[in-house]
PDB file of all heavy atoms in Angstrom:
ATOM      1  N   ALA A  67      -4.215   7.619  -8.099  1.00 75.00           N
ATOM      2  CA  ALA A  67      -4.270   9.153  -7.784  1.00 75.00           C
ATOM      3  C   ALA A  67      -5.640   9.689  -7.920  1.00 75.00           C
ATOM      4  O   ALA A  67      -5.928  10.738  -8.230  1.00 75.00           O
ATOM      5  CB  ALA A  67      -3.250   9.949  -8.616  1.00 75.00           C
ATOM      6  N   GLU A  68      -6.614   8.830  -7.453  1.00 73.00           N
ATOM      7  CA  GLU A  68      -8.035   9.114  -7.532  1.00 73.00           C
ATOM      8  C   GLU A  68      -8.333  10.250  -6.560  1.00 73.00           C
ATOM      9  O   GLU A  68      -9.239  11.140  -6.819  1.00 73.00           O
ATOM     10  CB  GLU A  68      -8.855   7.906  -7.310  1.00 73.00           C
ATOM     11  CG  GLU A  68     -10.394   8.010  -7.333  1.00 73.00           C
ATOM     12  CD  GLU A  68     -11.039   8.343  -6.008  1.00 73.00           C
ATOM     13  OE1 GLU A  68     -10.385   7.985  -4.926  1.00 73.00           O
ATOM     14  OE2 GLU A  68     -12.129   8.834  -5.939  1.00 73.00           O
ATOM     15  N   THR A  69      -7.719  10.245  -5.445  1.00 79.00           N
ATOM     16  CA  THR A  69      -7.825  11.216  -4.456  1.00 79.00           C
ATOM     17  C   THR A  69      -6.640  11.932  -4.087  1.00 79.00           C
ATOM     18  O   THR A  69      -5.556  11.270  -4.162  1.00 79.00           O
ATOM     19  CB  THR A  69      -8.414  10.496  -3.113  1.00 79.00           C
ATOM     20  OG1 THR A  69      -9.569   9.850  -3.413  1.00 79.00           O
ATOM     21  CG2 THR A  69      -8.709  11.500  -2.004  1.00 79.00           C
ATOM     22  N   ASP A  70      -6.483  13.308  -3.752  1.00 86.00           N
ATOM     23  CA  ASP A  70      -5.292  13.862  -3.430  1.00 86.00           C
ATOM     24  C   ASP A  70      -4.752  13.217  -2.154  1.00 86.00           C
ATOM     25  O   ASP A  70      -5.496  12.754  -1.323  1.00 86.00           O
ATOM     26  CB  ASP A  70      -5.437  15.354  -3.383  1.00 86.00           C
ATOM     27  CG  ASP A  70      -6.333  15.709  -2.146  1.00 86.00           C
ATOM     28  OD1 ASP A  70      -7.591  15.687  -2.362  1.00 86.00           O
ATOM     29  OD2 ASP A  70      -5.844  16.228  -1.192  1.00 86.00           O
ATOM     30  N   LEU A  71      -3.513  13.115  -1.992  1.00 88.00           N
ATOM     31  CA  LEU A  71      -2.828  12.332  -0.877  1.00 88.00           C
ATOM     32  C   LEU A  71      -3.168  12.855   0.472  1.00 88.00           C
ATOM     33  O   LEU A  71      -3.537  12.117   1.337  1.00 88.00           O
ATOM     34  CB  LEU A  71      -1.320  12.373  -1.169  1.00 88.00           C
ATOM     35  CG  LEU A  71      -0.801  11.554  -2.272  1.00 88.00           C
ATOM     36  CD1 LEU A  71       0.692  11.669  -2.539  1.00 88.00           C
ATOM     37  CD2 LEU A  71      -1.258  10.115  -2.273  1.00 88.00           C
ATOM     38  N   PRO A  72      -3.266  14.239   0.726  1.00 91.00           N
ATOM     39  CA  PRO A  72      -3.652  14.602   2.108  1.00 91.00           C
ATOM     40  C   PRO A  72      -5.170  14.140   2.391  1.00 91.00           C
ATOM     41  O   PRO A  72      -5.326  13.779   3.448  1.00 91.00           O
ATOM     42  CB  PRO A  72      -3.570  16.109   2.011  1.00 91.00           C
ATOM     43  CG  PRO A  72      -2.567  16.399   0.944  1.00 91.00           C
ATOM     44  CD  PRO A  72      -2.713  15.284  -0.030  1.00 91.00           C
ATOM     45  N   SER A  73      -5.986  14.244   1.471  1.00 91.00           N
ATOM     46  CA  SER A  73      -7.421  13.709   1.730  1.00 91.00           C
ATOM     47  C   SER A  73      -7.368  12.252   1.910  1.00 91.00           C
ATOM     48  O   SER A  73      -8.231  11.710   2.778  1.00 91.00           O
ATOM     49  CB  SER A  73      -8.242  14.016   0.481  1.00 91.00           C
ATOM     50  OG  SER A  73      -8.415  15.498   0.335  1.00 91.00           O
ATOM     51  N   LEU A  74      -6.651  11.579   1.149  1.00 91.00           N
ATOM     52  CA  LEU A  74      -6.513  10.120   1.370  1.00 91.00           C
ATOM     53  C   LEU A  74      -6.002   9.752   2.792  1.00 91.00           C
ATOM     54  O   LEU A  74      -6.466   8.835   3.472  1.00 91.00           O
ATOM     55  CB  LEU A  74      -5.680   9.511   0.339  1.00 91.00           C
ATOM     56  CG  LEU A  74      -5.598   8.032   0.183  1.00 91.00           C
ATOM     57  CD1 LEU A  74      -6.958   7.242   0.033  1.00 91.00           C
ATOM     58  CD2 LEU A  74      -4.757   7.479  -1.004  1.00 91.00           C
ATOM     59  N   LEU A  75      -4.965  10.524   3.192  1.00 92.00           N
ATOM     60  CA  LEU A  75      -4.408  10.300   4.523  1.00 92.00           C
ATOM     61  C   LEU A  75      -5.577  10.481   5.616  1.00 92.00           C
ATOM     62  O   LEU A  75      -5.618   9.698   6.505  1.00 92.00           O
ATOM     63  CB  LEU A  75      -3.275  11.223   4.717  1.00 92.00           C
ATOM     64  CG  LEU A  75      -2.316  10.952   5.939  1.00 92.00           C
ATOM     65  CD1 LEU A  75      -1.659   9.619   5.766  1.00 92.00           C
ATOM     66  CD2 LEU A  75      -1.311  12.042   6.095  1.00 92.00           C
ATOM     67  N   LEU A  76      -6.258  11.592   5.489  1.00 93.00           N
ATOM     68  CA  LEU A  76      -7.380  11.860   6.513  1.00 93.00           C
ATOM     69  C   LEU A  76      -8.372  10.659   6.344  1.00 93.00           C
ATOM     70  O   LEU A  76      -8.851  10.249   7.487  1.00 93.00           O
ATOM     71  CB  LEU A  76      -8.099  13.132   6.087  1.00 93.00           C
ATOM     72  CG  LEU A  76      -7.309  14.378   6.355  1.00 93.00           C
ATOM     73  CD1 LEU A  76      -8.033  15.635   5.807  1.00 93.00           C
ATOM     74  CD2 LEU A  76      -7.059  14.424   7.858  1.00 93.00           C
ATOM     75  N   GLN A  77      -8.667  10.165   5.243  1.00 93.00           N
ATOM     76  CA  GLN A  77      -9.626   9.075   5.111  1.00 93.00           C
ATOM     77  C   GLN A  77      -9.107   7.888   5.776  1.00 93.00           C
ATOM     78  O   GLN A  77      -9.865   7.136   6.469  1.00 93.00           O
ATOM     79  CB  GLN A  77      -9.820   8.724   3.593  1.00 93.00           C
ATOM     80  CG  GLN A  77     -10.960   7.838   3.320  1.00 93.00           C
ATOM     81  CD  GLN A  77     -11.230   7.701   1.776  1.00 93.00           C
ATOM     82  OE1 GLN A  77     -10.144   7.623   1.001  1.00 93.00           O
ATOM     83  NE2 GLN A  77     -12.381   7.911   1.357  1.00 93.00           N
ATOM     84  N   ILE A  78      -7.839   7.489   5.656  1.00 93.00           N
ATOM     85  CA  ILE A  78      -7.131   6.358   6.233  1.00 93.00           C
ATOM     86  C   ILE A  78      -7.186   6.529   7.788  1.00 93.00           C
ATOM     87  O   ILE A  78      -7.459   5.530   8.495  1.00 93.00           O
ATOM     88  CB  ILE A  78      -5.785   6.118   5.694  1.00 93.00           C
ATOM     89  CG1 ILE A  78      -5.767   5.748   4.262  1.00 93.00           C
ATOM     90  CG2 ILE A  78      -5.084   5.078   6.561  1.00 93.00           C
ATOM     91  CD1 ILE A  78      -4.445   5.748   3.574  1.00 93.00           C
ATOM     92  N   ASP A  79      -6.823   7.727   8.193  1.00 93.00           N
ATOM     93  CA  ASP A  79      -6.925   8.021   9.661  1.00 93.00           C
ATOM     94  C   ASP A  79      -8.432   7.766  10.209  1.00 93.00           C
ATOM     95  O   ASP A  79      -8.575   7.228  11.273  1.00 93.00           O
ATOM     96  CB  ASP A  79      -6.410   9.432  10.050  1.00 93.00           C
ATOM     97  CG  ASP A  79      -4.963   9.587   9.897  1.00 93.00           C
ATOM     98  OD1 ASP A  79      -4.264   8.523   9.851  1.00 93.00           O
ATOM     99  OD2 ASP A  79      -4.537  10.727   9.830  1.00 93.00           O
ATOM    100  N   TYR A  80      -9.433   8.110   9.376  1.00 94.00           N
ATOM    101  CA  TYR A  80     -10.745   7.870   9.782  1.00 94.00           C
ATOM    102  C   TYR A  80     -11.089   6.385  10.043  1.00 94.00           C
ATOM    103  O   TYR A  80     -11.522   5.919  10.947  1.00 94.00           O
ATOM    104  CB  TYR A  80     -11.660   8.465   8.803  1.00 94.00           C
ATOM    105  CG  TYR A  80     -13.106   8.061   8.954  1.00 94.00           C
ATOM    106  CD1 TYR A  80     -13.868   8.511  10.040  1.00 94.00           C
ATOM    107  CD2 TYR A  80     -13.767   7.221   8.040  1.00 94.00           C
ATOM    108  CE1 TYR A  80     -15.263   8.161  10.115  1.00 94.00           C
ATOM    109  CE2 TYR A  80     -15.101   6.844   8.036  1.00 94.00           C
ATOM    110  CZ  TYR A  80     -15.773   7.251   9.175  1.00 94.00           C
ATOM    111  OH  TYR A  80     -17.159   7.021   9.233  1.00 94.00           O
ATOM    112  N   TYR A  81     -10.532   5.486   9.015  1.00 94.00           N
ATOM    113  CA  TYR A  81     -10.618   4.144   9.095  1.00 94.00           C
ATOM    114  C   TYR A  81      -9.957   3.534  10.336  1.00 94.00           C
ATOM    115  O   TYR A  81     -10.468   2.614  10.976  1.00 94.00           O
ATOM    116  CB  TYR A  81     -10.147   3.435   7.855  1.00 94.00           C
ATOM    117  CG  TYR A  81     -10.907   3.764   6.535  1.00 94.00           C
ATOM    118  CD1 TYR A  81     -10.315   3.920   5.345  1.00 94.00           C
ATOM    119  CD2 TYR A  81     -12.282   3.930   6.554  1.00 94.00           C
ATOM    120  CE1 TYR A  81     -11.095   4.176   4.166  1.00 94.00           C
ATOM    121  CE2 TYR A  81     -13.090   4.214   5.409  1.00 94.00           C
ATOM    122  CZ  TYR A  81     -12.399   4.372   4.180  1.00 94.00           C
ATOM    123  OH  TYR A  81     -13.035   4.530   3.004  1.00 94.00           O
ATOM    124  N   LEU A  82      -8.754   4.151  10.496  1.00 94.00           N
ATOM    125  CA  LEU A  82      -8.010   3.568  11.716  1.00 94.00           C
ATOM    126  C   LEU A  82      -8.784   3.863  13.015  1.00 94.00           C
ATOM    127  O   LEU A  82      -8.720   3.043  13.907  1.00 94.00           O
ATOM    128  CB  LEU A  82      -6.573   4.102  11.720  1.00 94.00           C
ATOM    129  CG  LEU A  82      -5.643   3.519  10.645  1.00 94.00           C
ATOM    130  CD1 LEU A  82      -4.409   4.352  10.614  1.00 94.00           C
ATOM    131  CD2 LEU A  82      -5.363   2.088  10.970  1.00 94.00           C
ATOM    132  N   ARG A  83      -9.387   5.137  13.084  1.00 93.00           N
ATOM    133  CA  ARG A  83     -10.083   5.399  14.319  1.00 93.00           C
ATOM    134  C   ARG A  83     -11.338   4.464  14.510  1.00 93.00           C
ATOM    135  O   ARG A  83     -11.643   4.059  15.571  1.00 93.00           O
ATOM    136  CB  ARG A  83     -10.682   6.853  14.266  1.00 93.00           C
ATOM    137  CG  ARG A  83      -9.504   7.903  14.678  1.00 93.00           C
ATOM    138  CD  ARG A  83     -10.002   9.094  14.966  1.00 93.00           C
ATOM    139  NE  ARG A  83     -10.783   9.838  13.851  1.00 93.00           N
ATOM    140  CZ  ARG A  83     -10.273  10.328  12.794  1.00 93.00           C
ATOM    141  NH1 ARG A  83      -8.949  10.568  12.609  1.00 93.00           N
ATOM    142  NH2 ARG A  83     -11.066  10.864  11.848  1.00 93.00           N
ATOM    143  N   LEU A  84     -11.986   4.127  13.377  1.00 92.00           N
ATOM    144  CA  LEU A  84     -13.162   3.326  13.476  1.00 92.00           C
ATOM    145  C   LEU A  84     -12.631   1.841  13.747  1.00 92.00           C
ATOM    146  O   LEU A  84     -13.410   1.055  14.462  1.00 92.00           O
ATOM    147  CB  LEU A  84     -13.783   3.299  12.108  1.00 92.00           C
ATOM    148  CG  LEU A  84     -14.712   4.337  11.760  1.00 92.00           C
ATOM    149  CD1 LEU A  84     -15.390   4.229  10.335  1.00 92.00           C
ATOM    150  CD2 LEU A  84     -15.912   4.451  12.782  1.00 92.00           C
ATOM    151  N   LEU A  85     -11.485   1.467  13.355  1.00 92.00           N
ATOM    152  CA  LEU A  85     -10.961   0.192  13.629  1.00 92.00           C
ATOM    153  C   LEU A  85     -10.652  -0.004  15.229  1.00 92.00           C
ATOM    154  O   LEU A  85     -10.533  -1.205  15.680  1.00 92.00           O
ATOM    155  CB  LEU A  85      -9.745  -0.252  12.937  1.00 92.00           C
ATOM    156  CG  LEU A  85     -10.102  -0.659  11.387  1.00 92.00           C
ATOM    157  CD1 LEU A  85      -8.757  -0.512  10.477  1.00 92.00           C
ATOM    158  CD2 LEU A  85     -10.743  -1.953  11.426  1.00 92.00           C
ATOM    159  N   GLU A  86     -10.430   1.081  15.871  1.00 90.00           N
ATOM    160  CA  GLU A  86     -10.385   1.057  17.367  1.00 90.00           C
ATOM    161  C   GLU A  86     -11.688   0.492  17.990  1.00 90.00           C
ATOM    162  O   GLU A  86     -11.646  -0.054  18.994  1.00 90.00           O
ATOM    163  CB  GLU A  86      -9.940   2.372  17.909  1.00 90.00           C
ATOM    164  CG  GLU A  86      -8.514   2.790  17.557  1.00 90.00           C
ATOM    165  CD  GLU A  86      -8.154   4.173  17.925  1.00 90.00           C
ATOM    166  OE1 GLU A  86      -8.825   4.774  18.794  1.00 90.00           O
ATOM    167  OE2 GLU A  86      -7.065   4.636  17.590  1.00 90.00           O
TER     168      GLU A  86
END
Side-chain angles (χ1 to χ4, degrees):
E68 181 264 342
T69 304
D70 64 285
L71 292 175
S73 296
L74 185 57
L75 193 64
L76 290 173
Q77 191 174 47
I78 294 168
D79 286 342
Y80 169 71
Y81 295 144
L82 286 169
R83 281 192 306 277
L84 284 177
L85 283 166
E86 290 175 14

